[in-house]
Amino acid sequence: MAHADGLNGEAAAHGTCHKCGGSMCRGNKALARLCGSCGTRYHASDCGQKLARSGYDGPCDVCPRVREEKGSPRIMQQSF
């Protein structure tokens, strides 16, 4: 499904997730997103529970780059 905010679902389920680095085809494809503003692909969930482990309890369905630009704290990536 395409709309002004980018793509959702099956149409966005290609490539890798900006948040978890995993395949966009993994898990529920309905949660795949492609940001219409910056082109970032991400899961609209707390994929890998990385956000919760870093202390972030805000919305997970917002593009991580757009969220940061609007003043939300940057979530530090964990090294494994």
Side-chain angles (χ1 to χ4, degrees), residues 4-46:
D5 294 329
L7 297 175
N8 289 334
E10 189 79 32
H14 304 281
T16 58
C17 175
H18 176 76
K19 293 191 296 183
C20 73
S23 172
M24 291 299 296
C25 294
R26 184 186 326 162
N28 185 350
K29 290 183 184 177
L31 295 175
R33 301 286 185 271
L34 172 66
C35 180
S37 296
C38 68
T40 296
R41 292 184 188 274
Y42 63 97
H43 293 111
S45 64
D46 188 1

Side-chain angles (χ1 to χ4, degrees), residues 58-76:
C60 296
D61 61 344
V62 179
C63 172
R65 289 185 179 170
V66 171
R67 180 181 63 229
E68 184 178 349
E69 288 172 6
K70 290 185 177 182
S72 292
R74 182 179 180 99
I75 305 304
M76 300 303 293

